[in-house]
Amino acid sequence: MKILLQNLTKKFPGRGKKSTEEVIAVNDFTFEIPDGKLIGLLGPSGCGKSTALNLICGLQKPTAGKIFFGEDDVTDLPPEHRGVGLVFQSYALYPHLTVLKNITFPLENLRGADRLTKEEMEKRALEAAKLVQLEGLMDRKPSELSGGQQQRVAIARALVKTPRVLLLDEPLSNLDARLRLQTREEIRRIQRQTGVTTVFVTHDQEEAMSISDMIVVMKEGVVQQIGKPQEVYDQPVNLFVAKFLGTPPINVFQGKVSGGQLHIGDEVLLSLSDVPDQEVIVGIRPEGFILREDGPLSCDLTRVEVMGRDVSVVSTHPCSENPSIRSIINAENTVDPDAEKVRFALNPRKLYLFHPRTGERIPFTAG
Ligand code: ADP
Ligand code: MG
């Protein structure tokens, strides 16, 4: 089921004595979520992700705008009639009910023509449990399950009514690192298997990048960029997006374009065309540094961290905005850890220019 958001906006009135200013939690969202895809809604805490999800499921009413599921305008439809499955960070299972009863719970309230017999409910619950590989644990209580298993019960419960849309709000945040990885793979597999259109909310860029067909990067209620994870990583529209995606994060320098050359301090990094003389912010991805003895960028070496396949070189530079610069180089290159200086050439495809005031990306042609 394709989802269309049209000028979707949610404002909250200001509260308290000082904060009388209203908050625009979701500001004029207009985009389409294609049928059968998994979309990652990504942004820092407080940027409006949960509000956006609550609008899609109907738990909150928009201040303005419309929501369509396929051709249906669902804007005024209550949540129980939208056909959505919901999973939250807290699993919200009923502690006194077994796994089976927790999963059949949403089916118990079906009335009229939709009403199911006990056998039908159990059959459906077992199908949902099989999807999340819980069929052997149907008689347990939530307290007898690991966190990952509890979250899988919550996912089975969300799937049991075969929803048109599956909505997940930070579903992995309560799990430890290993289970988080495993459960996110599970979610991806279940999504592929069922083909249910899914919106996955997270503040964790790596999580969103790894499982989404498409990511929507948000900041303060405003969509910054929408695209395939790799496209957004490779072609960020602004400094916020460039900084938000990638580990280690992009390295940021103060620079200047003058006479067709990019300067950082006294050093000339690149020749470039199409950019008039101006101050710029220079962003360089960790993998954009190339170790070279006669490279134009000279940094003060702090330390070298060997990480198996790659080597992470930590250094400093007076024009760097970050206290330290992190570059990732192939382990076949050797760096003398006792050297004072390390010099780099730069891969122009991993280097970006941004406007110092607006943060907008400035396109350029290298060479
Ligand atoms: P996220 O899920 O990205 O962390 P939220 O959608 O929860 O962000 O919140 C977005 C903004 O809206 C925040 O500034 C938050 O304080 C505000 N907000 C959320 N819910 C309410 C509410 N019920 N009343 C007032 N402000 C709210
Ligand atoms: Mg939230």
Side-chain angles (χ1 to χ4, degrees):
M1 179 73 53
K2 147 185 120 178
I3 305 172
L4 176 66
L5 309 182
Q6 220 172 53
N7 305 108
L8 194 67
T9 298
K10 179 69 177 178
K11 297 181 184 176
F12 292 111
R15 281 191 292 199
K17 289 196 184 95
K18 282 187 192 154
S19 63
T20 46
E21 215 173 304
E22 65 181 7
V23 176
I24 308 178
V26 170
N27 195 340
D28 201 19
F29 275 27
T30 298
F31 59 86
E32 192 179 297
I33 298 173
D35 179 38
K37 299 290 184 198
L38 193 159
I39 302 309
L41 261 191
L42 173 66
S45 175
C47 75
K49 303 179 298 294
S50 295
T51 306
L53 208 72
N54 290 342
L55 293 173
I56 296 172
C57 78
L59 287 175
Q60 286 178 328
K61 279 210 168 311
T63 313
K66 289 195 173 298
I67 303 166
F68 295 87
F69 285 3
E71 303 304 315
D72 301 346
D73 181 348
V74 300
T75 317
D76 295 318
L77 216 56
E80 60 274 21
H81 294 139
R82 290 194 188 189
V84 291
L86 274 173
V87 178
F88 298 102
Q89 175 177 346
S90 62
Y91 323 122
L93 302 177
Y94 300 103
H96 57 288
L97 298 182
T98 60
V99 168
L100 174 67
K101 287 285 177 196
N102 265 287
I103 299 175
T104 57
F105 195 85
L107 303 175
E108 308 268 357
N109 301 320
L110 295 176
R111 292 288 171 261
D114 294 332
R115 196 187 175 103
L116 298 176
T117 64
K118 189 159 173 274
E119 286 71 33
E120 284 166 332
M121 281 194 259
E122 290 187 2
K123 183 163 162 279
R124 291 252 216 127
L126 193 62
E127 281 166 15
K130 275 191 182 143
L131 265 177
V132 299
Q133 296 170 342
L134 275 178
E135 65 270 29
L137 304 174
M138 298 299 264
D139 297 325
R140 295 220 192 154
K141 297 271 175 68
S143 61
E144 297 162 338
L145 300 175
S146 72
Q149 289 169 333
Q150 290 185 49
Q151 193 55 301
R152 284 193 273 154
V153 177
I155 295 168
R157 185 179 55 184
L159 290 171
V160 75
K161 276 167 93 175
T162 48
R164 303 198 281 179
V165 172
L166 180 64
L167 304 172
L168 307 141
D169 193 349
E170 312 243 9
L172 309 178
S173 298
N174 283 357
L175 306 178
D176 65 41
R178 204 177 52 86
L179 262 179
R180 200 149 60 217
L181 278 181
Q182 196 184 328
T183 313
R184 95 181 178 206
E185 297 303 319
E186 289 273 288
I187 289 175
R188 181 73 240 201
R189 178 185 58 75
I190 294 160
Q191 194 276 331
R192 284 251 164 84
Q193 221 168 317
T194 58
V196 61
T197 308
T198 301
V199 184
F200 183 100
V201 160
T202 178
H203 63 273
D204 181 333
Q205 57 91 23
E206 200 197 325
E207 202 168 280
M209 299 266 287
S210 66
I211 70 167
S212 308
D213 294 306
M214 183 171 114
I215 55 172
V216 177
V217 185
M218 298 170 58
K219 178 194 172 193
E220 294 168 7
V222 179
V223 171
Q224 305 291 302
Q225 191 166 2
I226 302 178
K228 290 186 181 146
Q230 193 67 42
E231 284 170 8
V232 179
Y233 180 83
D234 288 337
Q235 303 293 336
V237 296
N238 60 32
L239 184 58
F240 174 83
V241 174
K243 279 180 168 177
F244 200 72
L245 300 185
T247 39
I250 196 162
N251 298 284
V252 178
F253 300 83
Q254 277 150 16
K256 173 172 99 207
V257 174
S258 151
Q261 292 187 311
L262 173 63
H263 300 254
I264 287 183
D266 300 332
E267 295 158 333
V268 176
L269 261 63
L270 293 176
S271 294
L272 40 77
S273 39
D274 311 335
V275 185
D277 290 2
Q278 60 185 298
E279 308 271 314
V280 289
I281 304 276
V282 185
I284 309 172
R285 292 278 182 210
E287 65 274 24
F289 294 80
I290 304 155
L291 205 61
R292 190 169 294 162
E293 265 172 37
D294 59 351
L297 184 69
S298 168
C299 300
D300 296 305
L301 184 64
T302 311
R303 64 179 183 279
V304 178
E305 295 170 1
V306 180
M307 305 181 299
R309 193 162 45 92
D310 300 322
V311 172
S312 170
V313 179
V314 184
S315 62
T316 61
H317 189 282
C319 298
S320 168
E321 276 196 3
N322 319 63
S324 58
I325 303 160
R326 277 192 173 267
S327 43
I328 306 285
I329 58 168
N330 196 292
E332 283 158 22
N333 296 294
T334 49
V335 189
D336 172 7
D338 297 323
E340 284 192 6
K341 293 274 182 188
V342 58
R343 297 189 77 100
F344 298 106
L346 301 151
N347 176 353
R349 283 184 299 126
K350 294 285 178 181
L351 182 151
Y352 308 91
L353 303 183
F354 302 99
H355 195 282
R357 250 181 317 105
T358 64
E360 293 297 309
R361 175 137 153 251
I362 304 167
F364 68 88
T365 313

